[in-house]
Amino acid sequence: MKIQIPTTKKRIRRDYLSAINGLLKLTKTELDVVYVLSGIDKNNPCTKDNRIKAASELGWSRAVLNNAIKALKDKKVLLYEKETRKYSFHPLVFRVPEEDTTLVNYDE
């Protein structure tokens, strides 16, 4: 089954994250954090500078943002590599499409 979700380039990330949230089971706040972090740097979202930018954009302190990042890590939306000490997004989140229509495939 294929489902198309019409959207615009400005809203594609938000619409895509909302579409896959049934699988991720994120709260609205966690979804907002993923949206902001993925907009800042999709490849390395949790550097010190990126956390400062995200906290500022959300209007939060860094401590509150760090708690949200910990929750995303526990839900395996953010993956942490001990060797490189680097966070990355779950592959579902990492593959945010760039075009104006989100096509979601469900194989049976």
mmCIF file of all heavy atoms in Angstrom, residues 31-82:
data_model
loop_
_atom_site.group_PDB
_atom_site.id
_atom_site.type_symbol
_atom_site.label_atom_id
_atom_site.label_comp_id
_atom_site.label_asym_id
_atom_site.label_seq_id
_atom_site.Cartn_x
_atom_site.Cartn_y
_atom_site.Cartn_z
ATOM 1 N N LEU A 31 8.820 15.413 19.510
ATOM 2 C CA LEU A 31 8.728 15.630 18.073
ATOM 3 C C LEU A 31 9.286 17.006 17.706
ATOM 4 O O LEU A 31 10.003 17.145 16.702
ATOM 5 C CB LEU A 31 7.271 15.493 17.630
ATOM 6 C CG LEU A 31 7.004 15.214 16.171
ATOM 7 C CD1 LEU A 31 7.661 13.924 15.723
ATOM 8 C CD2 LEU A 31 5.508 15.129 15.930
ATOM 9 N N ASP A 32 9.000 18.009 18.522
ATOM 10 C CA ASP A 32 9.538 19.358 18.291
ATOM 11 C C ASP A 32 11.058 19.358 18.388
ATOM 12 O O ASP A 32 11.738 20.013 17.587
ATOM 13 C CB ASP A 32 8.962 20.358 19.294
ATOM 14 C CG ASP A 32 7.497 20.674 19.050
ATOM 15 O OD1 ASP A 32 6.999 20.402 17.933
ATOM 16 O OD2 ASP A 32 6.844 21.177 19.989
ATOM 17 N N VAL A 33 11.609 18.635 19.353
ATOM 18 C CA VAL A 33 13.065 18.570 19.515
ATOM 19 C C VAL A 33 13.705 17.896 18.300
ATOM 20 O O VAL A 33 14.709 18.385 17.765
ATOM 21 C CB VAL A 33 13.456 17.834 20.820
ATOM 22 C CG1 VAL A 33 14.954 17.603 20.893
ATOM 23 C CG2 VAL A 33 12.979 18.625 22.029
ATOM 24 N N VAL A 34 13.122 16.799 17.833
ATOM 25 C CA VAL A 34 13.649 16.111 16.644
ATOM 26 C C VAL A 34 13.586 17.043 15.440
ATOM 27 O O VAL A 34 14.536 17.131 14.655
ATOM 28 C CB VAL A 34 12.880 14.801 16.369
ATOM 29 C CG1 VAL A 34 13.272 14.214 15.024
ATOM 30 C CG2 VAL A 34 13.129 13.799 17.479
ATOM 31 N N TYR A 35 12.477 17.760 15.300
ATOM 32 C CA TYR A 35 12.317 18.691 14.191
ATOM 33 C C TYR A 35 13.401 19.767 14.212
ATOM 34 O O TYR A 35 14.045 20.038 13.189
ATOM 35 C CB TYR A 35 10.927 19.331 14.246
ATOM 36 C CG TYR A 35 10.699 20.380 13.196
ATOM 37 C CD1 TYR A 35 10.447 20.028 11.882
ATOM 38 C CD2 TYR A 35 10.747 21.730 13.527
ATOM 39 C CE1 TYR A 35 10.245 20.997 10.914
ATOM 40 C CE2 TYR A 35 10.550 22.699 12.567
ATOM 41 C CZ TYR A 35 10.301 22.330 11.261
ATOM 42 O OH TYR A 35 10.111 23.293 10.312
ATOM 43 N N VAL A 36 13.633 20.360 15.362
ATOM 44 C CA VAL A 36 14.625 21.430 15.474
ATOM 45 C C VAL A 36 16.036 20.890 15.259
ATOM 46 O O VAL A 36 16.819 21.459 14.478
ATOM 47 C CB VAL A 36 14.505 22.151 16.843
ATOM 48 C CG1 VAL A 36 15.677 23.080 17.088
ATOM 49 C CG2 VAL A 36 13.200 22.918 16.914
ATOM 50 N N LEU A 37 16.380 19.785 15.909
ATOM 51 C CA LEU A 37 17.724 19.226 15.762
ATOM 52 C C LEU A 37 18.006 18.776 14.334
ATOM 53 O O LEU A 37 19.103 18.976 13.818
ATOM 54 C CB LEU A 37 17.931 18.057 16.728
ATOM 55 C CG LEU A 37 18.107 18.411 18.202
ATOM 56 C CD1 LEU A 37 18.144 17.147 19.052
ATOM 57 C CD2 LEU A 37 19.356 19.241 18.426
ATOM 58 N N SER A 38 17.009 18.175 13.680
ATOM 59 C CA SER A 38 17.219 17.715 12.298
ATOM 60 C C SER A 38 17.346 18.898 11.347
ATOM 61 O O SER A 38 17.995 18.788 10.309
ATOM 62 C CB SER A 38 16.095 16.787 11.851
ATOM 63 O OG SER A 38 14.858 17.476 11.766
ATOM 64 N N GLY A 39 16.759 20.022 11.691
ATOM 65 C CA GLY A 39 16.899 21.220 10.866
ATOM 66 C C GLY A 39 18.245 21.893 11.028
ATOM 67 O O GLY A 39 18.732 22.549 10.112
ATOM 68 N N ILE A 40 18.865 21.722 12.168
ATOM 69 C CA ILE A 40 20.173 22.340 12.422
ATOM 70 C C ILE A 40 21.286 21.525 11.784
ATOM 71 O O ILE A 40 22.116 22.048 11.048
ATOM 72 C CB ILE A 40 20.412 22.507 13.937
ATOM 73 C CG1 ILE A 40 19.430 23.537 14.494
ATOM 74 C CG2 ILE A 40 21.849 22.921 14.229
ATOM 75 C CD1 ILE A 40 19.435 23.649 15.999
ATOM 76 N N ASP A 41 21.322 20.215 12.076
ATOM 77 C CA ASP A 41 22.365 19.339 11.517
ATOM 78 C C ASP A 41 21.873 17.906 11.597
ATOM 79 O O ASP A 41 21.846 17.315 12.678
ATOM 80 C CB ASP A 41 23.670 19.504 12.285
ATOM 81 C CG ASP A 41 24.828 18.750 11.666
ATOM 82 O OD1 ASP A 41 24.608 17.960 10.729
ATOM 83 O OD2 ASP A 41 25.968 18.956 12.128
ATOM 84 N N LYS A 42 21.515 17.353 10.467
ATOM 85 C CA LYS A 42 20.969 15.998 10.431
ATOM 86 C C LYS A 42 22.048 14.939 10.682
ATOM 87 O O LYS A 42 21.764 13.874 11.194
ATOM 88 C CB LYS A 42 20.302 15.764 9.071
ATOM 89 C CG LYS A 42 19.355 14.617 9.034
ATOM 90 C CD LYS A 42 18.443 14.634 7.832
ATOM 91 C CE LYS A 42 19.165 14.502 6.537
ATOM 92 N NZ LYS A 42 18.282 14.267 5.396
ATOM 93 N N ASN A 43 23.299 15.247 10.353
ATOM 94 C CA ASN A 43 24.379 14.261 10.475
ATOM 95 C C ASN A 43 24.975 14.168 11.873
ATOM 96 O O ASN A 43 25.410 13.103 12.285
ATOM 97 C CB ASN A 43 25.485 14.574 9.466
ATOM 98 C CG ASN A 43 24.997 14.418 8.055
ATOM 99 O OD1 ASN A 43 24.395 13.407 7.710
ATOM 100 N ND2 ASN A 43 25.218 15.423 7.229
ATOM 101 N N ASN A 44 25.031 15.271 12.586
ATOM 102 C CA ASN A 44 25.604 15.287 13.938
ATOM 103 C C ASN A 44 24.798 16.274 14.782
ATOM 104 O O ASN A 44 25.250 17.385 15.057
ATOM 105 C CB ASN A 44 27.089 15.672 13.875
ATOM 106 C CG ASN A 44 27.792 15.451 15.179
ATOM 107 O OD1 ASN A 44 27.249 14.880 16.117
ATOM 108 N ND2 ASN A 44 29.032 15.911 15.260
ATOM 109 N N PRO A 45 23.607 15.874 15.213
ATOM 110 C CA PRO A 45 22.667 16.827 15.800
ATOM 111 C C PRO A 45 22.986 17.322 17.204
ATOM 112 O O PRO A 45 22.490 18.372 17.599
ATOM 113 C CB PRO A 45 21.353 16.047 15.805
ATOM 114 C CG PRO A 45 21.758 14.623 15.872
ATOM 115 C CD PRO A 45 23.042 14.542 15.107
ATOM 116 N N CYS A 46 23.816 16.626 17.961
ATOM 117 C CA CYS A 46 23.945 16.957 19.383
ATOM 118 C C CYS A 46 25.306 17.487 19.786
ATOM 119 O O CYS A 46 25.749 17.277 20.914
ATOM 120 C CB CYS A 46 23.581 15.732 20.225
ATOM 121 S SG CYS A 46 21.859 15.262 20.040
ATOM 122 N N THR A 47 25.968 18.205 18.896
ATOM 123 C CA THR A 47 27.206 18.857 19.301
ATOM 124 C C THR A 47 26.852 19.990 20.265
ATOM 125 O O THR A 47 25.697 20.405 20.363
ATOM 126 C CB THR A 47 27.960 19.445 18.094
ATOM 127 O OG1 THR A 47 27.158 20.472 17.512
ATOM 128 C CG2 THR A 47 28.308 18.383 17.072
ATOM 129 N N LYS A 48 27.846 20.500 20.954
ATOM 130 C CA LYS A 48 27.605 21.571 21.923
ATOM 131 C C LYS A 48 26.970 22.782 21.236
ATOM 132 O O LYS A 48 25.990 23.343 21.736
ATOM 133 C CB LYS A 48 28.918 21.974 22.599
ATOM 134 C CG LYS A 48 28.754 23.058 23.628
ATOM 135 C CD LYS A 48 30.084 23.419 24.265
ATOM 136 C CE LYS A 48 29.896 24.551 25.257
ATOM 137 N NZ LYS A 48 31.161 24.966 25.841
ATOM 138 N N ASP A 49 27.515 23.183 20.100
ATOM 139 C CA ASP A 49 26.971 24.346 19.381
ATOM 140 C C ASP A 49 25.541 24.094 18.909
ATOM 141 O O ASP A 49 24.690 24.985 18.987
ATOM 142 C CB ASP A 49 27.846 24.703 18.180
ATOM 143 C CG ASP A 49 29.188 25.278 18.590
ATOM 144 O OD1 ASP A 49 29.300 25.760 19.742
ATOM 145 O OD2 ASP A 49 30.123 25.244 17.766
ATOM 146 N N ASN A 50 25.268 22.880 18.433
ATOM 147 C CA ASN A 50 23.921 22.555 17.962
ATOM 148 C C ASN A 50 22.916 22.536 19.111
ATOM 149 O O ASN A 50 21.768 22.937 18.946
ATOM 150 C CB ASN A 50 23.909 21.226 17.220
ATOM 151 C CG ASN A 50 24.649 21.302 15.903
ATOM 152 O OD1 ASN A 50 24.928 22.390 15.403
ATOM 153 N ND2 ASN A 50 24.985 20.157 15.341
ATOM 154 N N ARG A 51 23.352 22.080 20.271
ATOM 155 C CA ARG A 51 22.471 22.096 21.444
ATOM 156 C C ARG A 51 22.150 23.528 21.870
ATOM 157 O O ARG A 51 21.020 23.832 22.246
ATOM 158 C CB ARG A 51 23.104 21.339 22.611
ATOM 159 C CG ARG A 51 23.119 19.842 22.432
ATOM 160 C CD ARG A 51 23.795 19.187 23.609
ATOM 161 N NE ARG A 51 24.086 17.802 23.342
ATOM 162 C CZ ARG A 51 23.846 16.811 24.196
ATOM 163 N NH1 ARG A 51 23.315 17.061 25.379
ATOM 164 N NH2 ARG A 51 24.137 15.577 23.882
ATOM 165 N N ILE A 52 23.137 24.395 21.798
ATOM 166 C CA ILE A 52 22.909 25.805 22.150
ATOM 167 C C ILE A 52 21.905 26.424 21.177
ATOM 168 O O ILE A 52 20.967 27.110 21.588
ATOM 169 C CB ILE A 52 24.246 26.587 22.158
ATOM 170 C CG1 ILE A 52 25.119 26.117 23.333
ATOM 171 C CG2 ILE A 52 24.013 28.089 22.227
ATOM 172 C CD1 ILE A 52 26.551 26.632 23.299
ATOM 173 N N LYS A 53 22.092 26.167 19.873
ATOM 174 C CA LYS A 53 21.159 26.692 18.863
ATOM 175 C C LYS A 53 19.751 26.148 19.081
ATOM 176 O O LYS A 53 18.772 26.889 19.007
ATOM 177 C CB LYS A 53 21.635 26.317 17.460
ATOM 178 C CG LYS A 53 22.866 27.041 17.002
ATOM 179 C CD LYS A 53 23.298 26.522 15.639
ATOM 180 C CE LYS A 53 24.672 27.010 15.270
ATOM 181 N NZ LYS A 53 25.155 26.392 14.022
ATOM 182 N N ALA A 54 19.644 24.845 19.334
ATOM 183 C CA ALA A 54 18.332 24.214 19.511
ATOM 184 C C ALA A 54 17.636 24.747 20.756
ATOM 185 O O ALA A 54 16.440 25.043 20.727
ATOM 186 C CB ALA A 54 18.480 22.691 19.587
ATOM 187 N N ALA A 55 18.372 24.864 21.854
ATOM 188 C CA ALA A 55 17.782 25.382 23.094
ATOM 189 C C ALA A 55 17.282 26.804 22.885
ATOM 190 O O ALA A 55 16.182 27.164 23.339
ATOM 191 C CB ALA A 55 18.807 25.331 24.226
ATOM 192 N N SER A 56 18.042 27.600 22.168
ATOM 193 C CA SER A 56 17.637 28.969 21.881
ATOM 194 C C SER A 56 16.377 29.000 21.014
ATOM 195 O O SER A 56 15.444 29.758 21.277
ATOM 196 C CB SER A 56 18.775 29.706 21.182
ATOM 197 O OG SER A 56 18.363 30.977 20.784
ATOM 198 N N GLU A 57 16.343 28.171 19.985
ATOM 199 C CA GLU A 57 15.194 28.130 19.086
ATOM 200 C C GLU A 57 13.928 27.661 19.804
ATOM 201 O O GLU A 57 12.837 28.148 19.533
ATOM 202 C CB GLU A 57 15.498 27.220 17.894
ATOM 203 C CG GLU A 57 14.473 27.307 16.796
ATOM 204 C CD GLU A 57 14.896 26.591 15.536
ATOM 205 O OE1 GLU A 57 16.106 26.553 15.232
ATOM 206 O OE2 GLU A 57 14.001 26.066 14.846
ATOM 207 N N LEU A 58 14.077 26.714 20.729
ATOM 208 C CA LEU A 58 12.936 26.204 21.480
ATOM 209 C C LEU A 58 12.563 27.095 22.664
ATOM 210 O O LEU A 58 11.492 26.930 23.250
ATOM 211 C CB LEU A 58 13.238 24.784 21.979
ATOM 212 C CG LEU A 58 13.314 23.710 20.903
ATOM 213 C CD1 LEU A 58 13.998 22.456 21.450
ATOM 214 C CD2 LEU A 58 11.934 23.385 20.374
ATOM 215 N N GLY A 59 13.466 27.996 23.045
ATOM 216 C CA GLY A 59 13.226 28.851 24.203
ATOM 217 C C GLY A 59 13.414 28.117 25.517
ATOM 218 O O GLY A 59 12.766 28.437 26.513
ATOM 219 N N TRP A 60 14.304 27.144 25.519
ATOM 220 C CA TRP A 60 14.567 26.315 26.698
ATOM 221 C C TRP A 60 15.979 26.548 27.203
ATOM 222 O O TRP A 60 16.835 27.056 26.492
ATOM 223 C CB TRP A 60 14.465 24.835 26.349
ATOM 224 C CG TRP A 60 13.143 24.337 25.918
ATOM 225 C CD1 TRP A 60 11.964 25.008 25.899
ATOM 226 C CD2 TRP A 60 12.862 23.027 25.424
ATOM 227 N NE1 TRP A 60 10.966 24.200 25.434
ATOM 228 C CE2 TRP A 60 11.484 22.979 25.132
ATOM 229 C CE3 TRP A 60 13.629 21.912 25.202
ATOM 230 C CZ2 TRP A 60 10.869 21.839 24.631
ATOM 231 C CZ3 TRP A 60 13.018 20.777 24.698
ATOM 232 C CH2 TRP A 60 11.652 20.751 24.428
ATOM 233 N N SER A 61 16.234 26.085 28.429
ATOM 234 C CA SER A 61 17.607 26.038 28.924
ATOM 235 C C SER A 61 18.260 24.785 28.329
ATOM 236 O O SER A 61 17.588 23.868 27.868
ATOM 237 C CB SER A 61 17.631 25.960 30.455
ATOM 238 O OG SER A 61 17.144 24.703 30.884
ATOM 239 N N ARG A 62 19.578 24.744 28.357
ATOM 240 C CA ARG A 62 20.275 23.556 27.840
ATOM 241 C C ARG A 62 19.975 22.330 28.692
ATOM 242 O O ARG A 62 19.935 21.211 28.190
ATOM 243 C CB ARG A 62 21.774 23.816 27.766
ATOM 244 C CG ARG A 62 22.115 24.679 26.558
ATOM 245 C CD ARG A 62 23.580 24.913 26.342
ATOM 246 N NE ARG A 62 24.366 23.699 26.372
ATOM 247 C CZ ARG A 62 25.636 23.661 26.751
ATOM 248 N NH1 ARG A 62 26.247 24.764 27.143
ATOM 249 N NH2 ARG A 62 26.305 22.527 26.737
ATOM 250 N N ALA A 63 19.740 22.513 29.988
ATOM 251 C CA ALA A 63 19.429 21.383 30.868
ATOM 252 C C ALA A 63 18.114 20.721 30.459
ATOM 253 O O ALA A 63 18.019 19.489 30.418
ATOM 254 C CB ALA A 63 19.360 21.846 32.316
ATOM 255 N N VAL A 64 17.108 21.525 30.133
ATOM 256 C CA VAL A 64 15.821 20.968 29.698
ATOM 257 C C VAL A 64 15.993 20.240 28.368
ATOM 258 O O VAL A 64 15.461 19.138 28.164
ATOM 259 C CB VAL A 64 14.754 22.083 29.601
ATOM 260 C CG1 VAL A 64 13.468 21.563 28.981
ATOM 261 C CG2 VAL A 64 14.480 22.680 30.980
ATOM 262 N N LEU A 65 16.758 20.840 27.453
ATOM 263 C CA LEU A 65 17.017 20.183 26.170
ATOM 264 C C LEU A 65 17.759 18.871 26.374
ATOM 265 O O LEU A 65 17.436 17.868 25.735
ATOM 266 C CB LEU A 65 17.815 21.105 25.247
ATOM 267 C CG LEU A 65 18.171 20.492 23.891
ATOM 268 C CD1 LEU A 65 16.914 20.197 23.080
ATOM 269 C CD2 LEU A 65 19.103 21.403 23.125
ATOM 270 N N ASN A 66 18.739 18.851 27.278
ATOM 271 C CA ASN A 66 19.486 17.619 27.542
ATOM 272 C C ASN A 66 18.566 16.515 28.069
ATOM 273 O O ASN A 66 18.753 15.342 27.737
ATOM 274 C CB ASN A 66 20.632 17.878 28.513
ATOM 275 C CG ASN A 66 21.756 18.637 27.856
ATOM 276 O OD1 ASN A 66 21.893 18.638 26.642
ATOM 277 N ND2 ASN A 66 22.560 19.298 28.666
ATOM 278 N N ASN A 67 17.571 16.865 28.865
ATOM 279 C CA ASN A 67 16.596 15.875 29.338
ATOM 280 C C ASN A 67 15.785 15.310 28.165
ATOM 281 O O ASN A 67 15.519 14.105 28.112
ATOM 282 C CB ASN A 67 15.656 16.482 30.378
ATOM 283 C CG ASN A 67 16.348 16.732 31.694
ATOM 284 O OD1 ASN A 67 17.382 16.156 31.997
ATOM 285 N ND2 ASN A 67 15.782 17.632 32.488
ATOM 286 N N ALA A 68 15.398 16.175 27.233
ATOM 287 C CA ALA A 68 14.652 15.714 26.063
ATOM 288 C C ALA A 68 15.532 14.827 25.184
ATOM 289 O O ALA A 68 15.062 13.809 24.651
ATOM 290 C CB ALA A 68 14.141 16.908 25.272
ATOM 291 N N ILE A 69 16.802 15.180 25.046
ATOM 292 C CA ILE A 69 17.734 14.359 24.260
ATOM 293 C C ILE A 69 17.899 12.989 24.903
ATOM 294 O O ILE A 69 17.935 11.967 24.224
ATOM 295 C CB ILE A 69 19.085 15.084 24.080
ATOM 296 C CG1 ILE A 69 18.894 16.253 23.110
ATOM 297 C CG2 ILE A 69 20.174 14.138 23.603
ATOM 298 C CD1 ILE A 69 20.086 17.175 22.996
ATOM 299 N N LYS A 70 17.963 12.944 26.227
ATOM 300 C CA LYS A 70 18.059 11.663 26.945
ATOM 301 C C LYS A 70 16.821 10.810 26.676
ATOM 302 O O LYS A 70 16.927 9.597 26.440
ATOM 303 C CB LYS A 70 18.206 11.933 28.450
ATOM 304 C CG LYS A 70 18.068 10.720 29.351
ATOM 305 C CD LYS A 70 19.314 9.871 29.341
ATOM 306 C CE LYS A 70 19.322 8.837 30.439
ATOM 307 N NZ LYS A 70 18.545 7.652 30.180
ATOM 308 N N ALA A 71 15.635 11.426 26.669
ATOM 309 C CA ALA A 71 14.403 10.694 26.378
ATOM 310 C C ALA A 71 14.424 10.152 24.950
ATOM 311 O O ALA A 71 14.011 9.008 24.705
ATOM 312 C CB ALA A 71 13.186 11.583 26.590
ATOM 313 N N LEU A 72 14.932 10.935 24.003
ATOM 314 C CA LEU A 72 15.022 10.475 22.611
ATOM 315 C C LEU A 72 16.037 9.349 22.472
ATOM 316 O O LEU A 72 15.851 8.424 21.683
ATOM 317 C CB LEU A 72 15.398 11.643 21.696
ATOM 318 C CG LEU A 72 14.332 12.721 21.533
ATOM 319 C CD1 LEU A 72 14.892 13.919 20.790
ATOM 320 C CD2 LEU A 72 13.109 12.164 20.830
ATOM 321 N N LYS A 73 17.100 9.412 23.251
ATOM 322 C CA LYS A 73 18.093 8.333 23.260
ATOM 323 C C LYS A 73 17.467 7.053 23.827
ATOM 324 O O LYS A 73 17.664 5.969 23.279
ATOM 325 C CB LYS A 73 19.307 8.756 24.088
ATOM 326 C CG LYS A 73 20.414 7.742 24.108
ATOM 327 C CD LYS A 73 21.573 8.251 24.952
ATOM 328 C CE LYS A 73 22.547 7.135 25.245
ATOM 329 N NZ LYS A 73 23.526 7.491 26.257
ATOM 330 N N ASP A 74 16.689 7.175 24.894
ATOM 331 C CA ASP A 74 16.030 6.010 25.488
ATOM 332 C C ASP A 74 15.034 5.374 24.529
ATOM 333 O O ASP A 74 14.848 4.158 24.539
ATOM 334 C CB ASP A 74 15.313 6.389 26.784
ATOM 335 C CG ASP A 74 16.285 6.750 27.909
ATOM 336 O OD1 ASP A 74 17.496 6.431 27.790
ATOM 337 O OD2 ASP A 74 15.832 7.373 28.891
ATOM 338 N N LYS A 75 14.384 6.193 23.695
ATOM 339 C CA LYS A 75 13.419 5.687 22.712
ATOM 340 C C LYS A 75 14.091 5.256 21.412
ATOM 341 O O LYS A 75 13.430 4.875 20.456
ATOM 342 C CB LYS A 75 12.359 6.748 22.408
ATOM 343 C CG LYS A 75 11.421 6.986 23.576
ATOM 344 C CD LYS A 75 10.318 7.940 23.204
ATOM 345 C CE LYS A 75 9.332 8.076 24.358
ATOM 346 N NZ LYS A 75 8.187 8.923 24.011
ATOM 347 N N LYS A 76 15.421 5.351 21.359
ATOM 348 C CA LYS A 76 16.231 4.943 20.218
ATOM 349 C C LYS A 76 15.975 5.775 18.962
ATOM 350 O O LYS A 76 16.197 5.308 17.843
ATOM 351 C CB LYS A 76 16.044 3.451 19.917
ATOM 352 C CG LYS A 76 16.238 2.550 21.105
ATOM 353 C CD LYS A 76 17.406 1.645 20.926
ATOM 354 C CE LYS A 76 17.529 0.608 22.000
ATOM 355 N NZ LYS A 76 17.897 1.061 23.301
ATOM 356 N N VAL A 77 15.504 6.999 19.145
ATOM 357 C CA VAL A 77 15.370 7.928 18.022
ATOM 358 C C VAL A 77 16.729 8.579 17.773
ATOM 359 O O VAL A 77 17.117 8.799 16.636
ATOM 360 C CB VAL A 77 14.281 8.982 18.299
ATOM 361 C CG1 VAL A 77 14.252 10.052 17.224
ATOM 362 C CG2 VAL A 77 12.931 8.304 18.410
ATOM 363 N N LEU A 78 17.448 8.870 18.849
ATOM 364 C CA LEU A 78 18.837 9.302 18.759
ATOM 365 C C LEU A 78 19.712 8.129 19.169
ATOM 366 O O LEU A 78 19.488 7.511 20.212
ATOM 367 C CB LEU A 78 19.106 10.492 19.685
ATOM 368 C CG LEU A 78 18.669 11.859 19.176
ATOM 369 C CD1 LEU A 78 18.821 12.906 20.260
ATOM 370 C CD2 LEU A 78 19.459 12.256 17.946
ATOM 371 N N LEU A 79 20.685 7.819 18.338
ATOM 372 C CA LEU A 79 21.596 6.707 18.599
ATOM 373 C C LEU A 79 22.956 7.279 18.972
ATOM 374 O O LEU A 79 23.431 8.223 18.346
ATOM 375 C CB LEU A 79 21.702 5.831 17.352
ATOM 376 C CG LEU A 79 20.366 5.380 16.750
ATOM 377 C CD1 LEU A 79 20.593 4.667 15.437
ATOM 378 C CD2 LEU A 79 19.604 4.517 17.726
ATOM 379 N N TYR A 80 23.589 6.703 19.987
ATOM 380 C CA TYR A 80 24.870 7.206 20.476
ATOM 381 C C TYR A 80 25.955 6.171 20.232
ATOM 382 O O TYR A 80 25.800 5.001 20.587
ATOM 383 C CB TYR A 80 24.782 7.519 21.977
ATOM 384 C CG TYR A 80 26.041 8.094 22.560
ATOM 385 C CD1 TYR A 80 26.440 9.379 22.245
ATOM 386 C CD2 TYR A 80 26.831 7.344 23.417
ATOM 387 C CE1 TYR A 80 27.599 9.929 22.775
ATOM 388 C CE2 TYR A 80 27.992 7.879 23.958
ATOM 389 C CZ TYR A 80 28.366 9.171 23.641
ATOM 390 O OH TYR A 80 29.516 9.698 24.164
ATOM 391 N N GLU A 81 27.055 6.603 19.610
ATOM 392 C CA GLU A 81 28.217 5.736 19.393
ATOM 393 C C GLU A 81 29.286 6.086 20.420
ATOM 394 O O GLU A 81 29.770 7.215 20.439
ATOM 395 C CB GLU A 81 28.784 5.946 17.991
ATOM 396 C CG GLU A 81 27.914 5.404 16.890
ATOM 397 C CD GLU A 81 28.594 5.567 15.537
ATOM 398 O OE1 GLU A 81 29.821 5.319 15.459
ATOM 399 O OE2 GLU A 81 27.899 5.948 14.600
ATOM 400 N N LYS A 82 29.610 5.131 21.261
ATOM 401 C CA LYS A 82 30.579 5.394 22.329
ATOM 402 C C LYS A 82 31.973 5.682 21.780
ATOM 403 O O LYS A 82 32.696 6.517 22.319
ATOM 404 C CB LYS A 82 30.647 4.211 23.291
ATOM 405 C CG LYS A 82 29.419 4.075 24.155
ATOM 406 C CD LYS A 82 29.561 2.938 25.136
ATOM 407 C CE LYS A 82 28.298 2.826 25.958
ATOM 408 N NZ LYS A 82 28.349 1.729 26.919
#
